[in-house]
Amino acid sequence: MSEFVHLHCHTEYSLLDGAIRLNDLCARAKDFGMPAAAITDHGNLYGAAYFYTTCKSYGLKPVIGCEVYVTHDHTDKNSEWARVRHHLILLAKNNEGYHNLVRLVSRGFLDGFHYKPRVDKELLRKYSDGLIALSACLAGEIPRTLLGHNRLLKGGGTFDEAIALTHEYRSIFRDGFYLEVQSNALPDQALLNAKLLELAEHTKTPLVATNDCHYLNADDVEAHDVLLCIQTQAKVNDPKRMRFEARDLYYKSSEEMEKDFGHVPEALANTVRIAEECCVEMDFS
């Protein structure tokens, strides 16, 4: 049995961004000996029911989640801050958590849609029961603050402000908040990981390791790049277009993740612990 579970994964339902089909995802997790698989698409739960039934058919535990966009006020569509939004991974621990996740995603589209479906911390507090939260990738609020890139903070953020944000998220999700470390070729990732380890030690917040998977195989990177071009209506050879600087956001094996995070084994162990906590049951009768 694998000692690692992928908890940050973008499927075909992260439209024109994720390139992992649900059946392929579950087959790969099964081949790797992982006990569970997770879905965390951008802003939506379109694939949740299909993912649930596919996981069950492969004998895997389904972990239902979403990468939401957090803004200062989800009803604001006019101020200079309206387009400032941070990523946050939410995972449903139980049916109450799943229903709260549905509520958050629905409110994000119905009330908060401004380029992307957005939620805010008031909504997170209201619907936090039954949810586990991970601090997300470089686009998360805490990562951006640690790197001095938080546009909502004067100067972009400091370590003390990251401490305050960590305590804020822990007050919302209580024991269900984790600082997320990743291993990829993005320029700021190694620096961020060092700061996250320091922050975890300072605030006594648990770590969790992910790979922010966007495609299944390492050699799918070129196909995924074409997908991004379709999304942004750009040409592949345009030097100024949006592109992923990392070429390793694929569904890595447990051995690869253990090689990347051997220095923080608790971050690997917490992936299995979180998956064990997540027990959503869907009744299709």
Side-chain angles (χ1 to χ4, degrees):
M1 184 67 71
S2 171
E3 296 302 315
F4 174 79
V5 173
H6 281 287
L7 296 176
H8 188 156
C9 185
H10 296 283
T11 76
E12 57 193 312
Y13 290 94
S14 285
L15 305 179
L16 296 179
D17 186 7
I20 306 177
R21 292 185 171 91
L22 298 185
N23 194 71
D24 296 340
L25 164 63
C26 293
R28 183 58 51 85
K30 186 73 171 180
D31 288 345
F32 284 160
M34 295 176 180
I39 186 172
T40 57
D41 286 312
H42 280 303
N44 75 72
L45 290 167
Y46 300 149
Y50 301 111
F51 174 72
Y52 180 91
T53 56
T54 306
C55 276
K56 291 294 187 179
S57 71
Y58 277 89
L60 296 168
K61 174 185 275 192
V63 178
I64 309 294
C66 179
E67 185 164 35
V68 298
Y69 299 95
V70 182
T71 191
H72 76 117
D73 176 359
H74 80 291
T75 63
D76 172 27
K77 301 179 183 180
N78 300 306
S79 80
E80 62 179 309
W81 310 118
R83 292 190 68 176
V84 177
R85 50 187 182 259
H86 304 290
H87 294 191
L88 183 72
I89 296 291
L90 298 179
L91 306 172
K93 277 199 297 187
N94 48 38
N95 280 37
E96 180 184 21
Y98 175 67
H99 292 148
N100 278 332
L101 189 56
V102 169
R103 292 181 179 104
L104 284 166
V105 168
S106 297
R107 293 289 296 273
F109 274 101
L110 295 172
D111 308 328
F113 195 91
H114 183 62
Y115 296 91
K116 301 287 185 181
R118 305 166 306 151
V119 299
D120 57 31
K121 289 174 186 171
E122 182 180 349
L123 284 177
L124 292 177
R125 287 188 184 278
K126 185 174 182 179
Y127 299 119
S128 63
D129 287 348
L131 291 175
I132 291 171
L134 318 182
S135 62
C137 55
L138 287 162
E141 186 172 20
I142 290 171
R144 280 179 172 162
T145 301
L146 286 170
L147 295 171
H149 300 160
N150 189 342
R151 288 171 54 199
L152 292 176
L153 296 173
K154 185 177 180 180
T158 65
F159 191 77
D160 285 343
E161 285 167 323
I163 291 172
L165 283 170
T166 302
H167 288 310
E168 182 180 23
Y169 278 107
R170 292 191 69 174
S171 74
I172 296 172
F173 297 102
R174 297 171 289 282
D175 293 334
F177 181 69
Y178 293 77
L179 293 171
E180 185 175 345
V181 289
Q182 300 181 0
S183 179
N184 55 54
L186 291 169
D188 288 332
Q189 191 66 59
L191 173 61
L192 174 61
N193 284 349
K195 290 179 178 289
L196 284 168
L197 264 60
E198 183 181 356
L199 181 62
E201 176 65 25
H202 188 91
T203 61
K204 307 304 179 189
T205 302
L207 293 162
V208 64
T210 74
N211 200 50
D212 195 3
C213 305
H214 281 72
Y215 38 92
L216 194 66
N217 305 302
D219 58 6
D220 289 335
V221 62
E222 300 296 343
H224 181 262
D225 193 47
V226 171
L227 198 66
L228 291 181
C229 289
I230 297 170
Q231 178 197 153
T232 57
Q233 301 178 52
K235 295 182 179 179
V236 173
N237 59 2
D238 182 353
K240 296 182 180 180
R241 71 174 172 85
M242 172 199 168
R243 65 182 72 234
F244 278 24
E245 296 176 90
R247 299 176 64 84
D248 49 2
L249 301 179
Y250 63 95
Y251 209 79
K252 292 183 178 179
S253 67
S254 301
E255 291 76 18
E256 289 174 291
M257 294 300 291
E258 287 164 7
K259 181 179 177 181
D260 290 337
F261 293 104
H263 60 297
V264 278
E266 68 274 17
L268 297 167
N270 281 338
T271 66
V272 179
R273 188 173 297 115
I274 290 170
E276 288 173 347
E277 277 191 76
C278 294
C279 299
V280 172
E281 294 293 333
M282 292 186 177
D283 181 3
F284 296 103
S285 64

